[in-house]
Amino acid sequence: MTEYGAAAIDLTKPSKEEERAALLAARARQGDYDNDLILEQLARNRAFLTDEGLEKLRNAFVIVVGCGGVGSHCVAALARSGVPKIRLIDFDQVTLSSLNRHAVATLADVGTPKVLCIRKRLEAITPWVHFDCRNELFSGPHADTLLEPLGGQPPTFIVDAIDNIDSKVALLHYCSFKGLPVISSMGAGAKSDPTRIFIGDISASTEDPLSKATRVKLRALGVKRGIPVVFSTEKPGAGKAGLLPLNEEEFAKGAIEELAVQEKFRVRIMPVLGSMPAIFGLAVANHINQRAVN
């Protein structure tokens, strides 16, 4: 295995360019990188945020839980904005079907953990960013460890980009109970109208099965509001995309739940227009950029 989790065969062997990028990133994280170069790369952010605002962002620590279409675009935007410490939490691997919506994955990354794929690709762009990779499924019993401070610094923000209800609810309940700043992305699947995307309180999110199921479970745990979410008000209906049905052959085999990658995960395929998770992820990153400097 390579350090990125890929099989050490010619197809996935790091290129010379990737090896140079990894070496530069290792040196940059130890402080061997000219700060003037960083400021030049962040010049447009600096002009918008002012020196004071950019400094706050450059002292932030963000945890992103879920590194698929939404999470990967969010991470890429945060790293490019100047966030220097980002923890990535995801148990899954890059698949061929991930490539229609993942921010940075390539064919060479198929079969590798998403968290390591993101680190490898983004350290070639922002070598000074420290990516703390946790190739794990988020669950309530492990929340204390997965959301622990990094180098003594508690998270400035936590991003929920999970598409599994149980893990999603566990994360949001934990953050609400502990008073941790969190923003959650609701469902981008089966959506196609970017003008219907909003950021608001979870109590106001509508027209989204993932949001509805999340709200119901959180209410049962005593959480009714206070969590900002990115959601779409696009209504389902005739002519709209929806979960794809399983074919008769799969039903005939029985034990349908065994098709899920994890217990209680969605079995049927959700159609996803590749641009929509990107917009959700960028909206989350934009929210963090604004809140982190205010």
Side-chain angles (χ1 to χ4, degrees):
M1 301 288 285
T2 70
E3 65 168 312
Y4 298 114
I9 57 177
D10 291 342
L11 180 63
T12 55
K13 182 179 179 181
S15 66
K16 293 296 183 181
E17 182 179 351
E18 289 172 344
E19 290 177 348
R20 286 194 296 270
L23 179 60
L24 175 60
R27 291 169 52 191
R29 289 193 295 269
Q30 295 173 358
D32 185 14
Y33 200 91
D34 193 329
N35 188 58
D36 288 339
L37 292 178
I38 298 176
L39 290 177
E40 176 62 25
Q41 188 166 340
L42 300 174
R44 299 304 178 94
N45 300 68
R46 186 183 185 185
F48 191 96
L49 300 173
T50 74
D51 286 344
E52 182 182 1
L54 182 62
E55 185 64 21
K56 290 180 180 178
L57 203 59
R58 291 189 65 195
N59 283 300
F61 164 40
V62 179
I63 299 176
V64 179
V65 189
C67 294
V70 174
S72 63
H73 281 276
C74 179
V75 173
L78 291 174
R80 291 174 185 270
S81 297
V83 176
K85 289 177 283 188
I86 304 176
R87 177 174 297 153
L88 308 175
I89 302 173
D90 197 309
F91 77 99
D92 208 0
Q93 297 179 339
V94 177
T95 65
L96 273 174
S97 65
S98 302
L99 300 184
N100 87 309
R101 60 197 181 279
H102 201 277
V104 295
T106 71
L107 280 171
D109 298 311
V110 172
T112 66
K114 290 179 179 177
V115 295
L116 300 182
C117 160
I118 290 176
R119 189 192 79 184
K120 176 174 67 172
R121 298 302 173 190
L122 290 183
E123 69 183 9
I125 301 170
T126 55
W128 62 84
V129 175
H130 172 63
F131 294 102
D132 178 24
C133 297
R134 307 290 182 93
N135 188 199
E136 301 178 47
L137 173 68
F138 184 88
S139 63
H142 298 103
D144 285 337
T145 299
L146 291 174
L147 303 180
E148 66 187 355
L150 180 63
Q153 180 181 359
T156 309
F157 246 102
I158 296 171
V159 174
D160 161 34
I162 305 172
D163 61 1
N164 168 252
I165 291 291
D166 291 339
S167 295
K168 194 176 199 71
V169 170
L171 173 61
L172 296 178
H173 178 249
Y174 182 91
C175 289
S176 179
F177 179 73
K178 294 288 187 177
L180 296 173
V182 63
I183 179 169
S184 175
S185 173
M186 293 300 155
K191 304 291 186 179
S192 60
D193 186 354
T195 68
R196 306 306 300 172
I197 297 174
F198 297 91
I199 298 179
D201 191 83
I202 190 170
S203 61
S205 58
T206 59
E207 306 299 344
D208 177 13
L210 179 61
S211 177
K212 181 179 179 180
T214 302
R215 288 199 312 273
V216 169
K217 287 181 175 287
L218 283 174
R219 281 199 207 103
L221 295 171
V223 180
K224 297 180 180 180
R225 59 183 57 84
I227 298 173
V229 300
V230 177
F231 67 100
S232 170
T233 60
E234 184 179 351
K235 296 180 181 293
K240 297 285 186 176
L243 281 171
L244 298 185
L246 286 175
N247 60 48
E248 293 300 325
E249 291 182 0
E250 293 295 344
F251 274 112
K253 293 176 183 177
I256 298 300
E257 68 280 356
E258 293 181 3
L259 296 175
V261 292
Q262 292 282 344
E263 184 180 1
K264 297 182 180 179
F265 267 61
R266 185 176 62 238
V267 174
R268 291 186 293 161
I269 295 174
M270 173 67 80
V272 180
L273 193 61
S275 53
M276 293 301 284
I279 298 172
F280 274 66
L282 294 176
V284 171
N286 191 70
H287 177 85
I288 293 174
N289 283 341
Q290 292 181 314
R291 293 304 177 91
V293 302
N294 292 329

